[in-house]
Amino acid sequence: MNQDYTIRLETKNDYREAEQLTREAFWNVYRPGCLEHYVLHVLRDDPAFVPELDFVMERDGRLIGHVMYLRSEIHGDDGRVIPIMTFGPISIAPDCKGQGYGIRLLRCSMEAARKLGAGALAITGNIGFYGKSGFVVASTCGIHYFAQPREAEVPYFLIRELEPGFLDGVTGVYRDPEGYFVDEAAAEAFDALFPPREKRKLPGQLV
Ligand SMILES: CC(C)(COP(=O)(O)OP(=O)(O)OC[C@H]1O[C@@H](n2cnc3c(N)ncnc32)[C@H](O)[C@@H]1OP(=O)(O)O)[C@@H](O)C(=O)NCCC(=O)NCCS
């Protein structure tokens, strides 16, 4: 792929367009409608938000991608709290999906996170996409997802070291930062500020 895009930090002027893009990318994918544009809206004010890792991808004068990062932690079985990071929502405009933009945005932002000192990233997502960028199922490394029994293999809870060896000797439990658990009624009210769209129940949705 020729580089026909730029990746830069999000500015206040991008907020609405990035939220619109996020809404378009997630709409009816995991549930009828989506919450992610509201998640993005509120997470920018979250204490865990990392402004140095809030990126937009631009092509031909419009935003075609966005990703943001949050500080998070693993609660180690030995009592340590291990600071790591997570990210998301990550979005690519529907008409640009499947053309390699998402993987480029992910890799560019992961490199920036590494330079900022993040030792590892955790994410709930599809191994089909994230596995291509070095993520593995976290339970196979002894890092467990708070919402599932410890003995369960949770195929959608993934982890990746950015600093080799960072997770050596670490086992424990991971919980998503509080900011991701948004109030659905508030999300609904926020969504009403956008052009109306039909919510559809589709096969493959999670909710
Ligand atoms: C997920 C998303 C960011 C991926 O971006 P994209 O530009 O479409 O993905 P790419 O074209 O860079 O794909 C890279 C590779 O990952 C694979 N891939 C992409 N999305 C995938 C998915 N949802 N499931 C499985 N594999 C996927 C592609 O097939 C491609 O594989 P290949 O290199 O063998 O051809 C984008 O599709 C999107 O915005 N989806 C809706 C929102 C979403 O689900 N965000 C992630 C939530 S965890």
Side-chain angles (χ1 to χ4, degrees), residues 178-190:
E178 267 323 301
Y180 281 112
F181 301 96
V182 294
D183 178 74
E184 291 197 20
E188 195 71 37
F190 179 71

Side-chain angles (χ1 to χ4, degrees), residues 77-97:
D77 294 329
D78 58 4
R80 282 186 295 160
V81 175
I82 295 111
I84 61 167
M85 285 192 194
T86 184
F87 57 93
I90 176 169
S91 308
I92 293 295
D95 62 310
C96 297
K97 281 182 188 171

Side-chain angles (χ1 to χ4, degrees), residues 142-200:
I143 316 290
H144 303 279
Y145 193 53
F146 80 102
Q148 295 292 335
R150 207 179 161 99
E151 61 281 7
E153 187 179 313
V154 185
Y156 58 83
F157 175 51
L158 312 174
I159 203 146
R160 186 202 199 277
E161 285 183 340
L162 295 180
E163 183 189 318
F166 183 81
L167 295 174
D168 282 359
V170 175
T171 61
V173 175
Y174 178 84
R175 184 184 162 89
D176 310 283
E178 267 323 301
Y180 281 112
F181 301 96
V182 294
D183 178 74
E184 291 197 20
E188 195 71 37
F190 179 71
D191 187 64
L193 303 173
F194 291 79
R197 275 200 72 172
E198 188 192 354
K199 289 183 183 175
R200 298 186 63 199

Side-chain angles (χ1 to χ4, degrees), residues 69-122:
Y69 280 63
L70 260 71
R71 297 189 187 278
S72 61
E73 50 199 28
I74 297 167
H75 288 261
D77 294 329
D78 58 4
R80 282 186 295 160
V81 175
I82 295 111
I84 61 167
M85 285 192 194
T86 184
F87 57 93
I90 176 169
S91 308
I92 293 295
D95 62 310
C96 297
K97 281 182 188 171
Q99 299 167 44
Y101 290 111
I103 210 159
R104 283 170 175 79
L105 178 60
L106 174 63
R107 288 184 182 166
C108 175
S109 64
M110 287 193 331
E111 177 57 13
R114 189 191 65 75
K115 285 185 181 154
L116 203 63
L121 300 174

Side-chain angles (χ1 to χ4, degrees), residues 16-92:
R16 184 66 178 192
E17 191 178 349
E19 289 160 8
Q20 175 69 37
L21 160 71
T22 302
R23 183 181 190 245
E24 294 298 319
F26 279 87
W27 194 260
N28 291 334
V29 173
Y30 297 105
R31 59 188 293 148
C34 69
L35 304 176
E36 280 78 5
H37 51 317
Y38 182 63
V39 171
L40 164 59
H41 184 71
V42 295
L43 282 186
R44 293 195 198 94
D45 295 323
D46 193 286
F49 173 62
V50 187
E52 301 92 332
L53 300 174
D54 175 25
F55 292 109
V56 292
M57 187 178 223
E58 199 169 26
R59 192 190 70 186
D60 299 332
R62 72 158 177 136
L63 300 190
I64 62 163
H66 173 266
V67 64
M68 68 183 304
Y69 280 63
L70 260 71
R71 297 189 187 278
S72 61
E73 50 199 28
I74 297 167
H75 288 261
D77 294 329
D78 58 4
R80 282 186 295 160
V81 175
I82 295 111
I84 61 167
M85 285 192 194
T86 184
F87 57 93
I90 176 169
S91 308
I92 293 295

